[in-house]
PDB file of all heavy atoms in Angstrom:
ATOM      1  N   CYS Q 416     -24.994  -0.480  27.227  1.00  0.00           N
ATOM      2  CA  CYS Q 416     -26.162  -0.328  28.092  1.00  0.00           C
ATOM      3  C   CYS Q 416     -26.194   1.100  28.625  1.00  0.00           C
ATOM      4  O   CYS Q 416     -25.190   1.614  29.135  1.00  0.00           O
ATOM      5  CB  CYS Q 416     -26.093  -1.336  29.235  1.00  0.00           C
ATOM      6  SG  CYS Q 416     -27.400  -1.129  30.467  1.00  0.00           S
ATOM      7  N   CYS Q 419     -25.747   0.774  32.880  1.00  0.00           N
ATOM      8  CA  CYS Q 419     -24.496   0.367  33.537  1.00  0.00           C
ATOM      9  C   CYS Q 419     -23.269   0.533  32.650  1.00  0.00           C
ATOM     10  O   CYS Q 419     -22.155   0.262  33.099  1.00  0.00           O
ATOM     11  CB  CYS Q 419     -24.596  -1.081  34.021  1.00  0.00           C
ATOM     12  SG  CYS Q 419     -24.600  -2.308  32.680  1.00  0.00           S
ATOM     13  N   ARG Q 420     -23.460   0.970  31.409  1.00  0.00           N
ATOM     14  CA  ARG Q 420     -22.384   1.230  30.450  1.00  0.00           C
ATOM     15  C   ARG Q 420     -21.660  -0.036  29.987  1.00  0.00           C
ATOM     16  O   ARG Q 420     -20.597   0.038  29.386  1.00  0.00           O
ATOM     17  CB  ARG Q 420     -21.341   2.208  31.012  1.00  0.00           C
ATOM     18  CG  ARG Q 420     -21.902   3.549  31.443  1.00  0.00           C
ATOM     19  CD  ARG Q 420     -22.462   4.306  30.237  1.00  0.00           C
ATOM     20  NE  ARG Q 420     -22.701   5.709  30.535  1.00  0.00           N
ATOM     21  CZ  ARG Q 420     -23.857   6.216  30.933  1.00  0.00           C
ATOM     22  NH1 ARG Q 420     -24.906   5.416  31.102  1.00  0.00           N
ATOM     23  NH2 ARG Q 420     -23.995   7.505  31.166  1.00  0.00           N
ATOM     24  N   ALA Q 421     -22.184  -1.205  30.254  1.00  0.00           N
ATOM     25  CA  ALA Q 421     -21.556  -2.441  29.776  1.00  0.00           C
ATOM     26  C   ALA Q 421     -21.719  -2.539  28.260  1.00  0.00           C
ATOM     27  O   ALA Q 421     -22.794  -2.245  27.725  1.00  0.00           O
ATOM     28  CB  ALA Q 421     -22.191  -3.654  30.445  1.00  0.00           C
ATOM     29  N   PRO Q 422     -20.683  -2.951  27.523  1.00  0.00           N
ATOM     30  CA  PRO Q 422     -20.799  -3.083  26.064  1.00  0.00           C
ATOM     31  C   PRO Q 422     -21.923  -4.048  25.694  1.00  0.00           C
ATOM     32  O   PRO Q 422     -22.080  -5.107  26.315  1.00  0.00           O
ATOM     33  CB  PRO Q 422     -19.438  -3.634  25.638  1.00  0.00           C
ATOM     34  CG  PRO Q 422     -18.505  -3.239  26.738  1.00  0.00           C
ATOM     35  CD  PRO Q 422     -19.323  -3.263  27.995  1.00  0.00           C
ATOM     36  N   ALA Q 452     -34.987  -7.559  21.054  1.00  0.00           N
ATOM     37  CA  ALA Q 452     -35.405  -7.631  22.461  1.00  0.00           C
ATOM     38  C   ALA Q 452     -34.191  -7.682  23.377  1.00  0.00           C
ATOM     39  O   ALA Q 452     -34.190  -8.386  24.395  1.00  0.00           O
ATOM     40  CB  ALA Q 452     -36.288  -8.854  22.675  1.00  0.00           C
ATOM     41  N   TYR Q 453     -33.157  -6.929  23.061  1.00  0.00           N
ATOM     42  CA  TYR Q 453     -31.924  -6.999  23.839  1.00  0.00           C
ATOM     43  C   TYR Q 453     -32.148  -6.538  25.279  1.00  0.00           C
ATOM     44  O   TYR Q 453     -32.825  -5.534  25.533  1.00  0.00           O
ATOM     45  CB  TYR Q 453     -30.836  -6.127  23.203  1.00  0.00           C
ATOM     46  CG  TYR Q 453     -29.575  -6.062  24.028  1.00  0.00           C
ATOM     47  CD1 TYR Q 453     -28.651  -7.096  23.987  1.00  0.00           C
ATOM     48  CD2 TYR Q 453     -29.330  -4.977  24.871  1.00  0.00           C
ATOM     49  CE1 TYR Q 453     -27.501  -7.051  24.756  1.00  0.00           C
ATOM     50  CE2 TYR Q 453     -28.180  -4.919  25.641  1.00  0.00           C
ATOM     51  CZ  TYR Q 453     -27.270  -5.970  25.591  1.00  0.00           C
ATOM     52  OH  TYR Q 453     -26.139  -5.928  26.352  1.00  0.00           O
ATOM     53  N   ALA Q 454     -31.587  -7.296  26.206  1.00  0.00           N
ATOM     54  CA  ALA Q 454     -31.580  -6.933  27.624  1.00  0.00           C
ATOM     55  C   ALA Q 454     -30.160  -7.120  28.134  1.00  0.00           C
ATOM     56  O   ALA Q 454     -29.522  -8.143  27.869  1.00  0.00           O
ATOM     57  CB  ALA Q 454     -32.551  -7.798  28.418  1.00  0.00           C
ATOM     58  N   CYS Q 455     -29.642  -6.153  28.858  1.00  0.00           N
ATOM     59  CA  CYS Q 455     -28.269  -6.201  29.351  1.00  0.00           C
ATOM     60  C   CYS Q 455     -28.101  -7.376  30.321  1.00  0.00           C
ATOM     61  O   CYS Q 455     -28.869  -7.498  31.291  1.00  0.00           O
ATOM     62  CB  CYS Q 455     -27.918  -4.893  30.052  1.00  0.00           C
ATOM     63  SG  CYS Q 455     -26.270  -4.885  30.799  1.00  0.00           S
ATOM     64  N   PRO Q 456     -27.147  -8.265  30.097  1.00  0.00           N
ATOM     65  CA  PRO Q 456     -26.972  -9.402  31.014  1.00  0.00           C
ATOM     66  C   PRO Q 456     -26.416  -8.982  32.374  1.00  0.00           C
ATOM     67  O   PRO Q 456     -26.486  -9.755  33.336  1.00  0.00           O
ATOM     68  CB  PRO Q 456     -25.971 -10.295  30.272  1.00  0.00           C
ATOM     69  CG  PRO Q 456     -25.241  -9.381  29.343  1.00  0.00           C
ATOM     70  CD  PRO Q 456     -26.217  -8.324  28.962  1.00  0.00           C
ATOM     71  N   GLU Q 457     -25.897  -7.754  32.485  1.00  0.00           N
ATOM     72  CA  GLU Q 457     -25.329  -7.299  33.758  1.00  0.00           C
ATOM     73  C   GLU Q 457     -26.390  -6.714  34.682  1.00  0.00           C
ATOM     74  O   GLU Q 457     -26.432  -7.024  35.875  1.00  0.00           O
ATOM     75  CB  GLU Q 457     -24.239  -6.247  33.496  1.00  0.00           C
ATOM     76  CG  GLU Q 457     -23.101  -6.736  32.631  1.00  0.00           C
ATOM     77  CD  GLU Q 457     -22.283  -7.810  33.312  1.00  0.00           C
ATOM     78  OE1 GLU Q 457     -22.227  -7.809  34.561  1.00  0.00           O
ATOM     79  OE2 GLU Q 457     -21.696  -8.661  32.607  1.00  0.00           O
ATOM     80  N   CYS Q 458     -27.250  -5.835  34.116  1.00  0.00           N
ATOM     81  CA  CYS Q 458     -28.224  -5.147  34.979  1.00  0.00           C
ATOM     82  C   CYS Q 458     -29.660  -5.315  34.505  1.00  0.00           C
ATOM     83  O   CYS Q 458     -30.585  -4.854  35.181  1.00  0.00           O
ATOM     84  CB  CYS Q 458     -27.888  -3.663  35.070  1.00  0.00           C
ATOM     85  SG  CYS Q 458     -28.139  -2.753  33.516  1.00  0.00           S
ATOM     86  N   GLY Q 459     -29.875  -5.934  33.344  1.00  0.00           N
ATOM     87  CA  GLY Q 459     -31.219  -6.128  32.830  1.00  0.00           C
ATOM     88  C   GLY Q 459     -31.776  -4.935  32.088  1.00  0.00           C
ATOM     89  O   GLY Q 459     -32.923  -4.970  31.618  1.00  0.00           O
ATOM     90  N   GLY Q 460     -31.024  -3.867  31.972  1.00  0.00           N
ATOM     91  CA  GLY Q 460     -31.499  -2.680  31.277  1.00  0.00           C
ATOM     92  C   GLY Q 460     -31.738  -2.916  29.797  1.00  0.00           C
ATOM     93  O   GLY Q 460     -31.062  -3.739  29.163  1.00  0.00           O
ATOM     94  N   ARG Q 461     -32.715  -2.169  29.255  1.00  0.00           N
ATOM     95  CA  ARG Q 461     -33.065  -2.342  27.837  1.00  0.00           C
ATOM     96  C   ARG Q 461     -32.756  -1.106  27.004  1.00  0.00           C
ATOM     97  O   ARG Q 461     -32.957  -1.118  25.798  1.00  0.00           O
ATOM     98  CB  ARG Q 461     -34.555  -2.698  27.710  1.00  0.00           C
ATOM     99  CG  ARG Q 461     -34.894  -4.063  28.297  1.00  0.00           C
ATOM    100  CD  ARG Q 461     -36.349  -4.437  28.074  1.00  0.00           C
ATOM    101  NE  ARG Q 461     -36.632  -5.787  28.520  1.00  0.00           N
ATOM    102  CZ  ARG Q 461     -36.432  -6.887  27.788  1.00  0.00           C
ATOM    103  NH1 ARG Q 461     -35.941  -6.767  26.570  1.00  0.00           N
ATOM    104  NH2 ARG Q 461     -36.722  -8.078  28.274  1.00  0.00           N
ATOM    105  N   ARG Q 462     -32.295  -0.041  27.621  1.00  0.00           N
ATOM    106  CA  ARG Q 462     -31.960   1.163  26.867  1.00  0.00           C
ATOM    107  C   ARG Q 462     -30.491   1.108  26.430  1.00  0.00           C
ATOM    108  O   ARG Q 462     -29.630   0.639  27.183  1.00  0.00           O
ATOM    109  CB  ARG Q 462     -32.218   2.417  27.706  1.00  0.00           C
ATOM    110  CG  ARG Q 462     -33.684   2.613  28.080  1.00  0.00           C
ATOM    111  CD  ARG Q 462     -33.904   3.913  28.846  1.00  0.00           C
ATOM    112  NE  ARG Q 462     -33.100   3.971  30.063  1.00  0.00           N
ATOM    113  CZ  ARG Q 462     -32.173   4.880  30.300  1.00  0.00           C
ATOM    114  NH1 ARG Q 462     -31.924   5.834  29.401  1.00  0.00           N
ATOM    115  NH2 ARG Q 462     -31.483   4.869  31.439  1.00  0.00           N
ATOM    116  N   LEU Q 463     -30.226   1.603  25.234  1.00  0.00           N
ATOM    117  CA  LEU Q 463     -28.869   1.589  24.685  1.00  0.00           C
ATOM    118  C   LEU Q 463     -28.376   3.010  24.438  1.00  0.00           C
ATOM    119  O   LEU Q 463     -29.168   3.921  24.170  1.00  0.00           O
ATOM    120  CB  LEU Q 463     -28.829   0.802  23.366  1.00  0.00           C
ATOM    121  CG  LEU Q 463     -29.136  -0.696  23.451  1.00  0.00           C
ATOM    122  CD1 LEU Q 463     -29.213  -1.303  22.052  1.00  0.00           C
ATOM    123  CD2 LEU Q 463     -28.089  -1.425  24.275  1.00  0.00           C
TER     124      LEU Q 463
END
Side-chain angles (χ1 to χ4, degrees):
C416 174
C419 71
R420 303 295 194 266
Y453 175 80
C455 176
E457 301 293 332
C458 68
R461 293 184 174 275
R462 297 183 302 119
L463 295 174

